[in-house]
């Protein structure tokens, strides 16, 4: 199961966004922008931006998440959101000789599928270790012949070996990452990934991220989520047909904090 934490965020994010918005419509000096800016006034500015579609000021609020217990398949999806910063556990430098893996719920719910799945994971792990051992011996011999000492040769050989052995690792292989997005990018992310048509793993992470940012910036994210939360579903014939239920679920999420 994915674990998501909010590591840090722009202090008083809604005030920061409101200050940026005030700058666009005021002749005040920058140092005066936050003067007399109450929570209520900040919320009003955020609401105004949403109403007129002026989105650039919300880019000044950013949020950094720690995400773990997710698959490499998830990594391939989240990095399609390019207006973000990512730091990911490296399979090139981290030995995966006993890697953890993510099991899709549909597989976990079927005994025969789960048995085959676990066998595949065990086989991948076995082949990874076998290939890594073969390459380590080969590379260590080369490094020793080049004059490296025993300890250095062994360390360099392992690193070089796992660079290539990782190619047999499955999409299910567990990874972890730190992700930073600004509020505007998060809105786009939630629009696509909170939708029922999103893949189950990234939808679960997106829901957790949305709950976390809503707790610290409720006005800023009160209209965030899949498109059907604030308007009609854009999916046409591919719609899940559950817009009412989805809207209710996100209303309850915001209500329960």
């Amino acid at each position: 199961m994915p674990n998501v934490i909010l590591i840090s965020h722009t202090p008083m994010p809604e005030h920061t966004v409101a200050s940026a918005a005030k700058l666009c419509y005021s002749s005040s000096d920058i140092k005066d922008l936050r003067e007399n800016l109450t929570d209520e006034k900040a919320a009003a500015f955020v609401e105004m931006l949403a109403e007129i579609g002026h989105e650039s000021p919300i880019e000044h609020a950013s949020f950094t998440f720690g995400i773990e217990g997710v698959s490499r398949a998830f990594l391939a999806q989240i990095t399609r959101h390019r207006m973000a910063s990512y730091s990911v556990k490296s399979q090139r430098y981290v030995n995966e000789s006993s890697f953890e893996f993510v099991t899709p719920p549909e597989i976990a719910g079927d005994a025969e599928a789960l048995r085959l799945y676990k066998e595949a994971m065990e086989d991948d792990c076995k082949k990874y270790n076998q290939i890594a051992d073969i390459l380590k011996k080969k590379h260590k011999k080369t490094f020793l012949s080049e004059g490296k000492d025993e300890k250095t040769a062994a360390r360099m050989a392992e690193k070089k070996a796992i660079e290539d052995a990782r190619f047999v690792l499955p999409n299910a292989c567990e990874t972890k990452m730190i992700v930073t997005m600004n509020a505007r990018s998060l809105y786009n992310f939630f629009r696509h990934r909170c939708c029922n048509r999103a893949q189950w793993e990234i939808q679960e992470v997106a829901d957790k991220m949305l709950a976390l940012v809503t707790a610290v910036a409720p006005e800023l994210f009160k209209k965030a989520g899949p498109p059907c939360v604030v308007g009609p579903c854009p999916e046409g014939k591919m719609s899940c047909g559950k817009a009412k239920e989805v809207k209710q679920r996100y209303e309850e999420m915001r209500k329960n904090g």
Side-chain angles (χ1 to χ4, degrees), residues 132-202:
D133 286 341
I134 291 170
L135 295 178
K136 275 190 285 187
K137 292 176 183 177
K138 173 185 175 182
H139 296 321
K140 183 178 178 182
K141 183 177 180 180
T142 299
F143 289 132
L144 287 172
S145 70
E146 293 174 351
K148 302 290 190 301
D149 61 80
E150 182 78 17
K151 184 177 180 180
T152 300
R155 175 177 54 80
M156 294 177 65
E158 179 176 10
K159 176 186 174 298
K160 192 172 178 60
I162 65 176
E163 282 185 359
D164 293 330
R166 63 180 167 151
F167 278 75
V168 302
L169 293 174
N171 271 336
C173 191
E174 182 273 341
T175 192
K176 59 194 70 176
M177 65 196 71
I178 290 177
V179 179
T180 299
M181 293 187 187
N182 67 49
R184 190 178 189 180
S185 292
L186 280 170
Y187 255 86
N188 176 267
F189 177 73
F190 296 143
R191 178 179 176 84
H192 291 284
R193 303 304 184 173
C194 289
C195 175
N196 274 353
R197 294 196 64 244
Q199 186 257 359
W200 64 269
E201 189 178 23
I202 199 167

Side-chain angles (χ1 to χ4, degrees), residues 47-117:
E47 179 68 24
M48 178 198 71
L49 294 174
E51 289 177 355
I52 66 177
H54 187 185
E55 298 180 339
S56 63
I58 71 174
E59 294 179 12
H60 295 288
S62 62
F63 301 80
T64 298
F65 306 87
I67 304 172
E68 58 187 355
V70 291
S71 68
R72 299 290 291 197
F74 168 87
L75 173 63
Q77 292 186 80
I78 194 171
T79 50
R80 291 174 185 164
H81 296 270
R82 295 182 290 277
M83 297 301 292
S85 299
Y86 302 96
S87 296
V88 183
K89 182 180 76 170
S90 172
Q91 290 182 336
R92 185 182 180 196
Y93 293 99
V94 178
N95 192 308
E96 297 280 15
S97 58
S98 56
F99 67 86
E100 299 291 331
F101 56 88
V102 174
T103 303
E106 291 295 331
I107 293 178
D110 186 288
E112 180 63 9
L114 182 60
R115 181 184 67 79
L116 293 171
Y117 187 77

